[in-house]
Amino acid sequence: MSGCERLQRAIEECQRRVPAGPGREAACKHLSRGLAQCLVSEACPDELEAVQALCASGGTALKRAQCQQAQLSLSLCLSSLQQQP
């Protein structure tokens, strides 16, 4: 079982155990974020790595521009996957 599958099952279990409402959202939030991160890392690993490396801190104007470009590349990667049947 992959890491993403384990997170998916953990979210399902969390949602099953915690009643619907704000409490469920708070209790399961970290799992949802982890699953999103996992899925993005599987779908667009190079683009995600670039964003993590270039957007970790403010830095210079050049680094901010590189961060924005990396974010755009990640967005384009994810968008291209959404358009596939």
Side-chain angles (χ1 to χ4, degrees):
M1 182 184 310
S2 77
C4 292
E5 289 172 350
R6 283 191 293 268
L7 285 166
Q8 177 64 39
R9 290 182 197 267
I11 289 171
E12 291 168 1
E13 180 67 18
C14 183
Q15 291 175 341
R16 187 182 63 75
R17 287 185 293 137
V18 180
R24 177 189 287 175
E25 289 178 29
C28 304
K29 187 175 188 174
H30 68 286
L31 295 170
S32 295
R33 281 189 180 165
L35 179 60
Q37 180 87 11
C38 184
L39 293 172
V40 171
S41 71
E42 286 190 357
C44 302
D46 296 337
E47 293 83 356
L48 179 61
E49 184 179 330
V51 168
Q52 290 172 331
L54 295 168
C55 302
S57 62
T60 64
L62 174 61
K63 187 170 181 187
R64 288 191 301 273
Q66 290 171 329
C67 170
Q68 288 177 335
Q69 182 58 48
Q71 289 172 327
L72 178 60
S73 294
L74 178 58
S75 180
L76 290 172
C77 177
L78 293 170
S79 293
S80 72
L81 295 172
Q82 289 177 333
Q83 295 173 6
Q84 294 177 358

